[in-house]
């Protein structure tokens, strides 16, 4: 047996599913149906309160009339309330049934109490604006006017008498005995129901209808404005879904561009290289690369494009292709970087730049020839020595100035030496108090994990960064690459 809690959860799930499908109109209709059903229950409860007050003599409605009113309202409301409870507003035909029942229940209340419940006439039309359909609101207004006209006539016969519209004929005296109701006294004085109903329609119902008409026109404008907002929200949802789809595709394309094969250098099993990339957004500007240049030379690249998001990702793609193409020509790293910088400066209207570290390792001489274009210095881990940053001169970033010339340096590597490359997303990771992870903490983390494999070292460093951040959102892309010369 479903409960109110489970019904509420089903309604929320239906709304969430509709929004996920980009159908904001359906989500709105579901919540509107639930709201109308709730309003109808409130009106019914008010009718029950009036019934109770009438039973104890606070109100002067004929008890038989009030009892029939409650019975009629129960017959009208309970079935649709039960249906709406099970379907939680998800059926398209519920809007007509719910609003129609609300009009009838309000009319029953007006039929019994008359001028004492003037505002219930406008209530259904006001509630109908929640569907944000001005034609539907207009139809509800017309239906309400017709139903309340019938209610006004019935009120004249059975409901509370409004003395403001009652006219006495000449030479009529009103006499009431002890315990006698006003209705009974009026009846003995020659009460003319037809004349009373006529005056009721002229003096009360028609003025009420004029105010009702003005409110209905206003409600139509409100409904149209709501529809415009729903349409804008639906369009926004569709655009967001399209952008998310395109970003997901861009993420997969960017990820596929990064090398992931193992071993990194087939034929050179003495070189163990592992790399990972953690973008701060769906796409980012960091990248790494490794490739074989010839039989005795392999190349490694790690870089960071300025900025974030789609723009950085596009420039990252171009930069990666240009740098790799130049290095695979077999020229020196300095010459390759000089040529790459010249190409990246062409038509760089966005003013983006790239920090980059490239190296060419000679597998015979064990010499690493490298160029640093404004990038973070890698960490060197030698057996028996504390981790340290590789001493080097840092050149200007790529795509900064077209005529920049780059110089190269060399580092001799021994068996069991390890070079740890990273982007500034590592050293500049922040915790909740905006403290940086820093270079000292980086060296400490690498020192304690140097006995582990490359993959375990990288994983351990990322875990240390996450613990340090303590839930703080990742601000920058993080790229980590580890190259080890095995025994």
């Amino acid at each position: 047996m479903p409960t109110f809690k489970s019904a509420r959860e089903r309604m929320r799930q239906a709304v969430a599913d509709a929004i996920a499908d980009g159908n904001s109109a359906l989500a709105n209709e579901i919540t509107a149906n639930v709201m109308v059903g709730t309003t109808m229950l409130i009106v019914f409860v008010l009718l029950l309160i009036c019934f109770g007050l009438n039973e104890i003599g606070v109100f002067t409605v004929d008890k038989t009339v009030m009892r029939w009113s409650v019975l009629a309202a129960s017959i009208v409301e309970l079935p649709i309330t039960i249906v709406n409870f099970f379907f939680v507003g998800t059926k398209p035909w519920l809007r007509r049934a719910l609003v129609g029942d609300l009009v009838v229940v309000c009319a029953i209340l007006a039929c019994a109490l008359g001028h004492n419940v003037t505002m219930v006439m406008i209530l259904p039309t006001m509630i109908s604006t929640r569907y944000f359909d001005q034609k539907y609101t207009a139809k509800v207004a017309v239906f309400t006017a017709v139903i309340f006209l019938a209610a006004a006539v019935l009120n004249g016969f059975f409901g509370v008498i409004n003395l403001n519209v009652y006219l006495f004929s000449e030479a009529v005296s009103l006499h009431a005995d002890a315990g006698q109701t006003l209705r009974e006294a009026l009846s003995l004085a020659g009460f003319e129901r037809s004349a009373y109903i006529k005056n009721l329609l002229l003096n009360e119902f028609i003025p009420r209808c004029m105010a009702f008409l003005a409110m209905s026109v206003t409600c139509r404008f409100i409904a149209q404005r709501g529809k415009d907002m729903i349409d804008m929200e639906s369009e926004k949802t569709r655009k967001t879904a399209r952008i998310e789809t395109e970003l997901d595709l861009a993420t997969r394309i960017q990820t596929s561009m990064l090398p992931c094969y193992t071993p990194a250098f087939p034929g050179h099993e003495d070189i163990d290289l592992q790399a990972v990339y953690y973008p701060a957004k769906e796409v980012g500007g960091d990248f790494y690369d490794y490739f074989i240049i010839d039989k005795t030379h392999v190349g490694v690249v790690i870089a960071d494009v300025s900025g974030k998001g789609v723009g950085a990702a596009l420039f990252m793609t171009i930069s990666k292709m240009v740098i790799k193409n130049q290095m695979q020509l077999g020229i020196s790293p300095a010459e390759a970087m000089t040529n790459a910088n010249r190409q990246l400066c062409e038509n760089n209207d966005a003013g983006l730049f790239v920090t980059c570290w490239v190296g060419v390792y000679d597998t015979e001489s064990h010499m690493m020839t490298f160029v640093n274009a404004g990038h973070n210095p890698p960490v060197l881990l030698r057996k028996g020595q504390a981790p340290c940053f590789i001493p080097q001169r840092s050149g200007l970033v790529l795509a900064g100035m077209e005529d920049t010339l780059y110089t190269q340096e060399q580092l001799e590597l021994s068996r069991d030496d390890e070079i740890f490359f990273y982007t500034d997303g590592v050293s500049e990771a922040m915790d909740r108090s905006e403290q940086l992870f820093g270079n000292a903490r980086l060296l400490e983390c690498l020192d304690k994990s140097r006995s582990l494999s490359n993959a375990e070292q990288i994983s351990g460093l990322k875990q240390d960064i996450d613990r340090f951040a303590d839930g703080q959102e990742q601000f920058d892309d993080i790229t980590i690459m580890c190259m080890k010369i095995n025994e």
Side-chain angles (χ1 to χ4, degrees), residues 45-151:
V45 170
L46 290 176
L47 183 59
L48 290 178
I49 293 173
C50 293
F51 168 74
L53 293 174
N54 193 68
E55 287 291 313
I56 62 177
V58 175
F59 290 167
T60 60
V61 184
D62 184 274
K63 291 185 178 181
T64 303
V65 172
M66 182 59 80
R67 291 166 184 171
W68 277 105
S69 298
V70 172
L71 177 60
S74 302
I75 294 173
V76 169
E77 178 171 349
L78 291 181
I80 190 60
T81 299
I82 294 173
V83 170
N84 190 44
F85 174 73
F86 279 98
F87 288 115
V88 288
T90 58
K91 298 300 179 181
W93 47 264
L94 277 172
R95 70 148 73 178
R96 295 181 179 84
L98 286 166
V99 176
D101 274 19
L102 178 62
V103 172
V104 173
V105 171
C106 288
I108 291 173
L109 187 61
C111 179
L113 300 179
H115 62 281
N116 296 314
V117 288
T118 301
M119 282 304 296
V120 297
M121 184 175 185
I122 192 61
L123 181 61
T125 306
M126 291 178 61
I127 292 295
S128 71
T129 61
R130 184 59 181 78
Y131 289 99
F132 303 139
D133 184 343
Q134 63 172 338
K135 291 183 178 180
Y136 182 67
T137 297
K139 292 177 181 178
V140 171
V142 172
F143 180 66
T144 301
V146 173
I147 294 298
F148 269 75
L149 174 60

